[in-house]
Amino acid sequence: MSGAALVAIAASIGNLLQGWDNATIAGAVLYIKKEFKLESEPTVEGLIVAMSLIGATIITTFSGPVSDWIGRRPMLILSSILYFLSSLIMLWSPNVYVLLLARLIDGFGIGLAVTLVPLYISETAPSEIRGLLNTLPQFSGSGGMFLSYCMVFGMSLLPSPDWRIMLGVLAIPSLFFFGLTIFYLPESPRWLVSKGRMAEAKKVLQKLRGREDVSGEMALLVEGLEVGADTSIEEYIIGPAIEPADEHVVDGDKDQITLYGPEEGQSWIARPSKGPSILGSVLSLTSRHGSMVNQSVPLMDPIVTLFGSVHENMPHAGGSMRSTLFPNFGSMFSVTDQHPKVDQWDEENLHRDDEEYASDGAGGDYEDNVHSPLLSRQTTSAEGKDIAHHAHRGSALSMRRRSLLEEGGEAVSSTGIGGGWQLAWKWSEREGEDGKKEGGFKRIYLHQEEVPGSRRGSVISLPGGGDAPEGSEFIHAAALVSQPALYSKDIIEQRMSGPAMIHPSEAAAKGSSWKDLFEPGVRRALLVGVGIQILQQFAGINGVLYYTPQILEQAGVAVLLSNLGLSSASASILISSLTTLLMLPSIGLAMRLMDISGRRFLLLGTIPVLIASLVVLVVSNVIDLGTVAHAALSTISVIIYFCCFVMGFGPIPNILCAEIFPTRVRGICIAICALTFWIGDIIVTYSLPVMLNAIGLAGVFGIYAVVCSIAFVFVFLKVPETKGMPLEVITEFFAVGAKQMQATKA
């Protein structure tokens, strides 16, 4: 995981540059307005600061779709170039108009970084530490602000501070960021898979994870190309398939199922569980009875309950995340056979020289593996069944998919895809309208469930009729069962054949379209993403930042600093730097808790503190408490507000927006959320002076407190907990929950 952590740190430099720029312009504008004589032109002065917001808003409108088209990495490279170019123009700036142009270009760089860095980190980070790594942009941004304030403060002590140098220094870290994006940052493996570039995606994953075996995650990324249709929740008792799968089938035992892993030779047996299911019970009432009942909170979104059931009912045992959830999977999914290496299943391979494959391929198998279809599109359903029931010959999917997923020559210890989830497939068969048997593959996301209290100490019924005590190699698991991304019903209908698999490049060729945004799961996720971005902006952070220097001045800090011989400008900059410094330990604590306590917990824990801080600010401005008491209460409230904001409402909206959308529309959706962020930022920034004149400071903070209260209710009812879950599983949960709710209303 060190590879993913270093990549996340490097990518978050883009946010460091944003924080650096925000702090630098706040200090430099004090000197800019003197040189250009803008004291009587507040509009121009405001434009100099706000031009970057305008630029960020403009570029965000198309940054998502373009990143889906050309990739995440090229957009980060472009961001670094725009940062560097704008800093050079600001260093030159002969007049205010050139400065405004430079600030606009700078906003373009900021918009790309703020939009795409969280998305990039989410797509490269392991699910177990994704929250921690995606809090890095918040830490980097605040760290950049602090470093910039220190630089500006030092320059403000000079006899004649030069604002051009203050702004131009941005060229140094932006050049460093450019070097990282060119020579170090890889492309997102999920984006590579979405374009059918499987070989590159595998190499990137191996670098990020620091291991050769990435077959399970590669399979997950392929399945992420499409959110499954007709997803259902089932429960299984699962055990190892020691013998060939067909020898395990008991005559008349129609319930027994053979599950297949992403590697050739991986299989295990399962039988639908007749006992109670903890995960399945959340949606089983909907799927079985058509209505959602027995909700503990009447207005709570069932999707929130569904996500919560995963985290509340994990098996409580020691060890790592994977070993805690699947303590027996190491032996259950082990592969004893050694398999020769075969070629990467990659459309790009068709254009490379044969010599390039000498070390990767299996000689004579090369042409067959690359040019043959994944499964014969002319096989009958009966033949497909025969394939599916012979695990010793390899899983049905791996007959042609193995070139994509296999790590030749090495035993595979697990099919884990992160957060205790496992990926598998099964072959299902039913009779069609004409009486003929029809079959198809089903994708399964497995998650072990803790045995309910009523069943503890008892035995678990095994496939084949036997019993095994708890702690054996048979486990109870919930399963999200749906159609796999590479299984095409259209091909079956057109060719009247059995199991049909398509190349990922064919699935990727469909690309994303705006109509995908109207799918139930995507719509539900957009509601969460856009809603939390709006509430974040109107929660008062800009107003409190605006008022902080005045509060600290009332507390006597400015007087103390002026007694030390500092000018008013230097004192203001130093106060801002101290305020920023207070944020860093809080962000560090949030990084530690993000994947332990979770996003939802941090939001629900910090928003009430924000409300209390704002209420204290309102009271201290309405009631005459005396100068000392007023200053003390205001200062403490502001510090607490900042610390709690950067722990919850600061980083989490961007983290959630980078997690909850399917791969094919993730860029578009996160751009919509980012556009909401920037528009809200502009509205709040420009409405603040007007509101201060109209309703006063107490009224402004009172409105912010009301918004925070609304935000608490929204988070409690609508925002699910996503910690530790693979991105593809998160989007599958949104899809199944939204479709069940839609069916219930219908």
Side-chain angles (χ1 to χ4, degrees):
M1 293 185 182
S2 61
L6 292 175
V7 164
I9 292 171
S12 67
I13 300 297
N15 293 79
L16 183 145
L17 297 179
Q18 179 216 3
W20 181 290
D21 176 78
N22 290 345
T24 304
I25 193 63
V29 75
L30 301 173
Y31 305 101
I32 292 173
K33 63 182 181 181
K34 289 181 181 178
E35 178 175 330
F36 294 130
K37 299 179 176 58
L38 301 177
E39 288 86 351
S40 59
E41 298 185 47
T43 303
V44 178
E45 178 187 345
L47 266 180
I48 292 173
V49 177
M51 209 62 170
S52 62
L53 292 179
I54 296 172
T57 304
I58 292 172
I59 203 164
T60 298
T61 57
F62 61 86
S63 61
V66 173
S67 72
D68 284 340
W69 174 40
I70 67 173
R72 319 314 191 197
R73 180 171 171 266
M75 299 296 279
L76 293 179
I77 293 173
L78 178 59
S79 174
S80 66
I81 293 173
L82 292 170
Y83 273 128
F84 182 71
L85 180 62
S86 66
S87 63
L88 294 182
I89 298 176
M90 286 188 287
L91 183 62
W92 171 50
S93 294
N95 55 57
V96 71
Y97 303 106
V98 174
L99 179 59
L100 288 173
L101 175 63
R103 295 291 299 158
L104 181 67
I105 297 173
D106 181 59
F108 292 158
I110 290 174
L112 290 178
V114 170
T115 303
L116 296 175
V117 167
L119 182 152
Y120 178 82
I121 293 176
S122 281
E123 291 190 338
T124 56
S127 57
E128 290 87 353
I129 58 170
R130 188 177 61 241
L132 182 152
L133 297 184
N134 233 339
T135 312
L136 281 172
Q138 180 78 33
F139 187 86
S140 298
S142 298
M145 290 179 67
F146 176 70
L147 294 175
S148 178
Y149 276 132
C150 291
M151 178 202 70
V152 174
F153 172 72
M155 296 183 68
S156 71
L157 301 178
L158 299 175
S160 55
D162 190 334
W163 61 266
R164 288 181 177 83
I165 296 178
M166 291 181 186
L167 296 175
V169 169
L170 180 67
I172 298 174
S174 62
L175 191 61
F176 178 64
F177 183 47
F178 174 75
L180 288 174
T181 57
I182 289 290
F183 300 109
Y184 184 70
L185 291 185
E187 182 53 86
S188 161
R190 282 179 167 84
W191 182 85
L192 290 172
V193 167
S194 74
K195 299 303 178 183
R197 294 159 62 175
M198 317 307 294
E200 291 181 57
K202 178 188 172 185
K203 291 178 182 177
V204 170
L205 271 181
Q206 288 173 332
K207 174 184 175 183
L208 293 173
R209 303 297 180 254
R211 63 177 188 268
E212 290 296 311
D213 173 21
V214 292
S215 57
E217 194 164 357
M218 278 294 295
L220 174 69
L221 302 195
V222 172
E223 290 297 348
L225 294 176
E226 189 75 27
V227 176
D230 303 322
T231 304
S232 62
I233 293 181
E234 300 176 5
E235 301 88 44
Y236 296 133
I237 300 297
I238 305 175
I242 303 173
E243 303 293 336
D246 55 340
E247 296 179 16
H248 264 279
V249 179
V250 181
D251 292 337
D253 187 3
K254 298 180 180 180
D255 290 337
Q256 182 163 303
I257 302 168
T258 302
L259 305 180
Y260 300 97
E263 289 283 349
E264 181 178 16
Q266 284 184 323
S267 66
W268 56 103
I269 55 174
R271 168 183 281 182
S273 172
K274 298 178 181 178
S277 166
I278 299 172
L279 173 62
S281 63
V282 178
L283 282 184
S284 62
L285 293 173
T286 301
S287 59
R288 295 171 188 169
H289 303 294
S291 63
M292 184 63 66
V293 295
N294 293 336
Q295 284 286 337
S296 58
V297 180
L299 297 178
M300 180 174 286
D301 195 323
I303 293 177
V304 175
T305 309
L306 178 62
F307 276 85
S309 66
V310 176
H311 304 289
E312 293 171 3
N313 301 292
M314 290 181 177
H316 301 291
S320 65
M321 176 74 74
R322 182 175 297 171
S323 64
T324 297
L325 295 169
F326 286 85
N328 303 309
F329 270 25
S331 59
M332 185 185 301
F333 296 159
S334 63
V335 177
T336 56
D337 295 334
Q338 302 294 313
H339 309 296
K341 285 190 176 183
V342 289
D343 301 288
Q344 297 296 339
W345 179 25
D346 192 337
E347 61 180 347
E348 295 174 332
N349 292 348
L350 298 173
H351 309 294
R352 300 179 186 174
D353 295 334
D354 288 351
E355 293 180 2
E356 201 171 327
Y357 290 95
S359 59
D360 286 332
D365 292 335
Y366 167 66
E367 293 294 335
D368 179 63
N369 284 335
V370 173
H371 296 289
S372 297
L374 302 174
L375 281 177
S376 173
R377 293 177 178 176
Q378 303 300 325
T379 56
T380 65
S381 59
E383 290 170 338
K385 180 180 179 181
D386 182 64
I387 291 172
H389 277 296
H390 286 77
H392 66 281
R393 294 169 56 188
S395 74
L397 291 181
S398 66
M399 289 194 68
R400 289 292 181 240
R401 292 186 67 176
R402 63 185 182 182
S403 55
L404 159 68
L405 303 173
E406 183 172 2
E407 291 299 317
E410 293 184 15
V412 179
S413 60
S414 174
T415 57
I417 55 177
W421 289 87
Q422 310 286 329
L423 175 61
W425 294 266
K426 72 173 181 178
W427 169 258
S428 62
E429 192 172 67
R430 62 183 177 84
E431 287 191 4
E433 295 179 358
D434 56 358
K436 294 182 179 180
K437 290 186 177 181
E438 299 175 351
F441 288 109
K442 291 290 185 179
R443 175 186 70 213
I444 305 176
Y445 294 129
L446 291 166
H447 188 275
Q448 184 184 5
E449 290 192 330
E450 185 176 18
V451 179
S454 61
R455 298 177 66 197
R456 287 175 187 157
S458 64
V459 296
I460 298 177
S461 176
L462 300 181
D467 290 331
E470 291 182 55
S472 71
E473 291 188 347
F474 287 84
I475 56 96
H476 185 248
L480 285 173
V481 182
S482 60
Q483 179 180 310
L486 304 184
Y487 173 72
S488 174
K489 289 183 177 178
D490 295 335
I491 294 176
I492 288 182
E493 292 172 358
Q494 293 170 8
R495 299 177 180 250
M496 302 299 291
S497 60
M501 301 292 290
I502 61 174
H503 194 285
S505 64
E506 296 180 46
K510 294 185 287 186
S512 60
S513 62
W514 290 100
K515 70 177 182 180
D516 293 331
L517 301 180
F518 296 98
E519 292 184 3
V522 178
R523 286 206 316 268
R524 184 66 56 174
L526 273 173
L527 171 66
V528 173
V530 171
I532 200 168
Q533 290 285 3
I534 292 174
L535 292 169
Q536 182 209 43
Q537 283 304 305
F538 288 89
I541 183 63
N542 288 322
V544 177
L545 280 171
Y546 181 89
Y547 185 56
T548 296
Q550 182 181 340
I551 292 175
L552 296 181
E553 182 179 352
Q554 292 174 349
V557 177
V559 176
L560 176 62
L561 295 176
S562 63
N563 291 337
L564 297 177
L566 298 178
S567 65
S568 59
S570 297
S572 175
I573 294 169
L574 183 58
I575 288 172
S576 297
S577 66
L578 293 174
T579 304
T580 306
L581 180 62
L582 292 172
M583 299 181 184
L584 297 179
S586 299
I587 301 173
L589 179 60
M591 292 173 67
R592 179 75 179 94
L593 296 176
M594 198 65 68
D595 293 304
I596 298 175
S597 301
R599 295 85 157 119
R600 178 179 165 86
F601 175 87
L602 285 174
L603 284 173
L604 294 177
T606 56
I607 291 177
V609 183
L610 299 183
I611 297 171
S613 302
L614 291 167
V615 169
V616 171
L617 287 172
V618 171
V619 171
S620 63
N621 281 277
V622 171
I623 302 175
D624 186 7
L625 301 174
T627 305
V628 176
H630 176 267
L633 279 175
S634 298
T635 302
I636 293 172
S637 297
V638 165
I639 292 173
I640 293 175
Y641 180 93
F642 278 138
C643 292
C644 289
F645 188 90
V646 297
M647 285 181 65
F649 237 156
I652 291 177
N654 285 338
I655 293 175
L656 284 173
C657 289
E659 292 178 331
I660 60 179
F661 302 112
T663 299
R664 68 182 185 281
V665 293
R666 188 172 291 127
I668 295 176
C669 291
I670 202 170
I672 293 172
C673 295
L675 187 62
T676 304
F677 169 88
W678 290 116
I679 292 175
D681 194 356
I682 292 173
I683 292 173
V684 172
T685 300
Y686 279 92
S687 65
L688 181 60
V690 177
M691 292 173 64
L692 285 173
N693 291 331
I695 59 178
L697 194 61
V700 171
F701 285 150
I703 291 175
Y704 290 159
V706 172
V707 173
C708 285
S709 301
I710 296 172
F712 181 85
V713 175
F714 179 82
V715 171
F716 182 74
L717 296 178
K718 299 294 183 182
V719 178
E721 180 56 72
T722 59
K723 67 175 181 178
M725 299 177 68
L727 299 182
E728 289 72 15
V729 175
I730 293 173
T731 57
E732 194 81 14
F733 268 57
F734 268 96
V736 66
K739 288 176 182 177
Q740 293 286 8
M741 290 179 61
Q742 193 176 55
T744 301
K745 292 178 181 178

